[in-house]
């Protein structure tokens, strides 16, 4: 196994599915999500800095994914496919409704919400990742929560 | 756990994702961005990249009939050749000329389009012809960008006057986003050419909510690309001449600071946009010489640790920016 193959497998095992879910939420289209994910991995394998820790690497990967999704989202019109169709999965109606509502949130809110409620980042970590203040992240989370039905997101 | 986490967990990656990704990534050539190297090496690397881009483009271009055209485009783009992107342009015919936008170098606020022109009726094309035009976005969603600097020149003209390559430049006139647009060419031919841009890689750093400490107007984002840096202020609906004086802080040359202590100065700077939507725009591609001088290098955006102008400095780390610091001008 080459060094690149080994590195790819390590990174994919650790972060691949999570990054895919993030890209899918942003792009609402499995093919676009896969394209962005490919670019993320290209950057990781060929253009990444030296990482000081696994957290550093994870933060860097999500920062790259955020930027690439934003660029792609601006460049191409977003798919209006429901997330269920985009993800090719079958979800219970309640969960499907939740994910579709989350995917329809403004980009800044859904990014903060996903990083907090799925990836488990703290508010302070999200603030650092997005280059905004802690109160800004709290506001985005608050607005995101308010836009979703209360029973779906519990502190 | 929470319901959102549980629902998202059910969105498993599609079958074969890992294998497709692995095959694509391991077989791909590294893109134009590259590991940080000392300045001298970057120059040589740029030359190598240029040669590689030329070979790649000439070998794979869909426009197989005009490899010479590709060579002229990359020659005009010079060190920015790795960032030349194909434009999905239509061919139009007007006044006996056939025109098509072949490719572009563009970020959200600078567009350089390379236009192939053929004279179908004679030999009227000359190297000293005036060239200029305006790019109109198909869907101008972000109103408020009102001013632009336009330019253009013939960068190659066939000796028989039947074929030419023109470069058309617009700086500062675009609002972010919609890459579908029309080039309304005024000279040398009055016509409209539809095209869809492909942008160079752009890193966007969200600055909304950042405390500017009175040094700068409220900001929305910082955009970094190989051709330039744009600092976009928050949209101000109630803008007047009096309450937008803080936009003056966006004027003047920008210094880019790298991790190794080296610095780069912008080639051109300008306060673009409008009262409502101020944009500090700093170019590292020369908009005045559309055959790019060889000594100008694309901006290495991946290893920037800060940008400064006038009396402010914005540190950048891991894709995030701030807090803004006051510095001695």
């Amino acid at each position: 196994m080459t060094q690149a193959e080994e590195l790819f497998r390590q990174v994919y095992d650790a972060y691949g599915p999570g990054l895919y879910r993030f890209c899918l939420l942003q792009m609402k289209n499995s093919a676009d999500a896969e394209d962005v994910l490919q670019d993320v991995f290209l950057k990781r394998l060929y253009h990444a800095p030296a990482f000081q820790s696994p957290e550093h690497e994870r933060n860097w990967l999500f920062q790259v994914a955020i930027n690439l999704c934003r660029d792609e989202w601006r460049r191409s019109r977003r798919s209006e496919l429901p997330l269920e169709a985009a993800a090719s999965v079958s979800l219970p109606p309640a969960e499907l409704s939740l994910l579709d509502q989350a995917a329809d949130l403004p980009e800044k809110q859904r990014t903060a919400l996903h990083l907090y409620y799925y990836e488990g980042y703290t508010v302070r970590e999200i603030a650092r990742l997005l280059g905004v203040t802690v109160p800004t992240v709290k506001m985005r989370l608050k607005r995101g929560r308010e836009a979703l039905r209360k029973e779906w997101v519990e502190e | 756990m929470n319901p959102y986490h549980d629902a998202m967990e059910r969105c498993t990656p599609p079958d074969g994702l890992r294998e497709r990704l692995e095959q694509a990534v391991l077989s791909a050539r590294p893109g134009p961005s590259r590991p940080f190297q000392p300045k001298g090496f970057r120059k040589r690397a740029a030359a190598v990249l240029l040669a590689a881009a030329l070979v790649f483009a000439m070998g794979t271009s869909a426009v197989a009939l005009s490899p010479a055209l590709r060579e002229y485009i990359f020659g005009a783009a010079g060190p920015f050749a790795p960032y030349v992107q194909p434009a999905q342009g239509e061919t139009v015919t007007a006044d006996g000329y056939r025109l098509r936008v072949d490719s572009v170098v563009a970020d959200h606020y600078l567009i350089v389009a390379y236009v192939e022109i053929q004279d179908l009726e004679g030999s009227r094309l000359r190297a000293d012809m005036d060239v200029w035009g305006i790019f109109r976005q198909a869907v101008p969603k972000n109103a408020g960008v009102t001013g632009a600097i336009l330019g253009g020149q013939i960068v190659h003209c066939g000796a028989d006057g039947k074929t030419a390559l023109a470069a058309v430049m617009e700086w500062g006139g675009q609002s972010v986003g919609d890459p579908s647009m029309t080039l309304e060419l005024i000279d040398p031919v009055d016509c409209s050419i539809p095209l869809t841009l492909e942008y160079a890689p752009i890193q966007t750093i969200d600055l909304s909510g950042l405390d500017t400490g009175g040094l700068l107007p409220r900001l929305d984002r910082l955009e970094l690309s190989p051709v330039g840096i744009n600092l976009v202020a928050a949209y101000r609906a109630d803008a007047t001449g009096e309450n937008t004086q803080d936009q003056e802080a966006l004027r003047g040359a920008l210094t880019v600071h790298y991790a190794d202590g080296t610095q780069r100065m912008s080639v051109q700077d300008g306060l673009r946009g409008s009262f409502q939507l101020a944009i500090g725009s700093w170019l590292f591609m020369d908009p005045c010489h559309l055959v790019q001088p060889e000594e100008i290098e694309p901006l290495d955006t991946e290893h920037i640790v800060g940008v400064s102008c006038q009396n402010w400095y914005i540190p950048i780390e891991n894709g995030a920016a701030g807090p803004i610091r006051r510095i001695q001008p």
Side-chain angles (χ1 to χ4, degrees):
Chain A
M1 187 181 293
T2 67
Q3 250 186 335
E5 287 171 339
E6 177 67 25
L7 179 58
F8 173 86
R9 288 177 188 189
Q10 283 175 9
V11 176
Y12 186 89
D13 288 345
Y15 309 111
L19 286 166
Y20 172 78
R21 290 183 177 101
F22 178 81
C23 294
L24 180 65
L25 177 75
Q26 299 294 344
M27 306 307 300
K28 282 182 75 173
N29 178 309
S30 184
D32 288 346
E34 214 169 308
D35 284 348
V36 173
L37 193 60
Q38 182 177 319
D39 288 342
V40 173
F41 272 83
L42 280 170
K43 280 184 173 285
R44 174 61 188 89
L45 260 65
Y46 301 116
H47 302 297
F51 296 113
Q52 295 152 5
S53 64
E55 290 72 29
H56 184 196
E57 181 182 27
R58 181 177 179 233
N59 292 349
W60 183 89
L61 286 165
F62 271 98
Q63 183 64 60
V64 169
I66 290 166
N67 288 336
L68 290 173
C69 285
R70 283 178 180 165
D71 286 347
E72 189 60 31
W73 193 78
R74 287 183 176 123
R75 184 162 41 219
S76 60
R77 295 169 188 236
R78 267 184 83 192
S79 161
E80 294 306 320
L81 278 175
L83 200 60
E84 182 185 39
S88 301
V89 295
S90 182
L91 296 174
E95 292 189 350
L96 175 61
S97 170
L98 169 64
L99 291 185
D100 273 339
Q101 285 180 63
D104 283 339
L105 289 174
E107 186 262 344
K108 290 174 180 175
Q109 290 176 23
R110 69 172 182 270
T111 297
L113 189 134
H114 183 87
L115 294 176
Y116 186 83
Y117 284 105
Y118 183 73
E119 288 297 334
Y121 277 106
T122 66
V123 169
R124 189 172 294 280
E125 287 169 336
I126 295 171
R128 188 174 173 81
L129 199 60
L130 300 180
V132 298
T133 62
V134 167
T136 299
V137 174
K138 286 181 177 175
M139 182 57 69
R140 290 178 186 176
L141 287 172
K142 179 172 181 289
R143 288 178 179 161
R145 280 195 299 264
E146 286 171 354
L148 300 178
R149 287 186 289 170
K150 279 183 184 173
E151 60 267 33
W152 296 121
V153 180
E154 296 163 349
E155 297 268 12
Chain B
M1 292 304 159
N2 57 69
Y4 178 81
H5 187 282
D6 294 344
M8 186 53 78
E9 195 69 6
R10 291 178 191 261
C11 288
T12 51
D15 291 342
L17 172 68
R18 180 191 182 125
E19 291 72 24
R20 287 194 298 278
L21 207 56
E22 183 170 15
Q23 185 180 11
V25 171
L26 295 179
S27 64
R29 295 158 53 102
S33 58
R34 53 205 182 280
F36 178 77
Q37 298 289 348
K39 285 276 187 180
F41 186 88
R42 280 191 218 158
K43 187 84 175 173
R44 291 193 295 278
V48 172
L49 276 170
L50 170 59
L54 270 169
V55 170
F56 176 76
M58 292 175 71
T60 62
S61 168
V63 191
L65 74 167
S66 56
L69 174 72
R70 289 279 163 166
E71 189 173 353
Y72 298 136
I73 290 171
F74 283 114
F80 292 85
Y83 303 99
V84 172
Q85 302 280 355
Q88 297 168 34
E90 295 179 20
T91 299
V92 302
T93 303
D95 194 25
Y97 294 96
R98 180 183 293 153
L99 303 99
R100 182 180 67 92
V101 179
D102 179 89
S103 45
V104 296
V105 175
D107 68 4
H108 289 151
Y109 294 98
L110 176 73
I111 301 170
V112 178
Y114 299 101
V115 185
E116 183 184 21
I117 309 174
Q118 292 176 284
D119 187 347
L120 302 175
E121 297 179 356
S123 302
R124 294 171 289 175
L125 293 166
R126 304 186 318 276
D128 61 351
M129 294 176 97
D130 288 338
V131 175
W132 69 286
I134 302 169
F135 292 86
R136 305 273 191 210
Q137 283 179 295
V139 185
K141 287 179 182 172
N142 294 335
V145 177
T146 56
I149 292 179
L150 309 171
Q153 71 183 75
I154 300 287
V155 295
H156 172 79
C157 186
D160 58 3
K162 291 183 180 298
T163 58
L165 176 69
V168 185
M169 181 279 297
E170 180 173 315
W171 176 29
Q174 300 301 311
S175 55
V176 169
D178 195 324
S180 299
M181 53 188 70
T182 300
L183 169 57
E184 293 183 6
L185 203 58
I186 312 299
D187 281 320
V189 187
D190 190 349
C191 65
S192 296
I193 312 173
L195 72 150
T196 301
L197 297 184
E198 284 282 338
Y199 294 110
I202 300 168
Q203 182 189 4
T204 301
I205 299 175
D206 186 349
L207 300 182
S208 59
L210 184 68
D211 181 8
T212 62
L215 291 171
L216 285 160
R218 281 197 310 117
L219 300 172
D220 183 73
R221 64 186 179 276
L222 180 67
E223 294 191 8
L224 312 170
S225 84
V227 303
I229 291 180
N230 294 285
L231 186 54
V232 184
Y235 186 83
R236 185 161 194 164
D238 64 346
T240 65
E242 287 71 35
N243 68 15
T244 53
Q245 290 301 309
D246 52 4
Q247 294 175 0
E248 292 303 305
L250 298 171
R251 289 190 192 277
L254 185 84
T255 303
V256 173
H257 303 260
Y258 283 105
D260 66 352
T262 58
Q263 299 178 355
R264 277 194 68 182
M265 295 282 285
S266 53
V267 174
Q268 288 278 339
D269 61 84
L271 178 58
R272 316 241 51 88
S274 65
F275 276 139
Q276 287 80 19
L277 184 61
I279 302 160
S281 189
W282 296 275
L283 295 184
F284 292 81
M285 184 178 191
D286 189 340
C288 302
H289 299 91
L290 294 172
V291 178
Q292 290 294 304
E294 278 301 317
E295 65 270 19
I296 293 180
E297 295 178 42
L299 192 62
D300 176 359
T301 60
E302 291 197 5
H303 300 90
I304 294 174
V305 295
V307 294
S308 63
C309 175
Q310 295 193 30
N311 65 341
W312 53 265
Y313 175 85
I314 303 178
I316 298 170
E317 184 182 6
N318 293 333
I324 296 173
R325 297 205 296 260
R326 182 184 294 276
I327 59 171
Q328 290 295 323

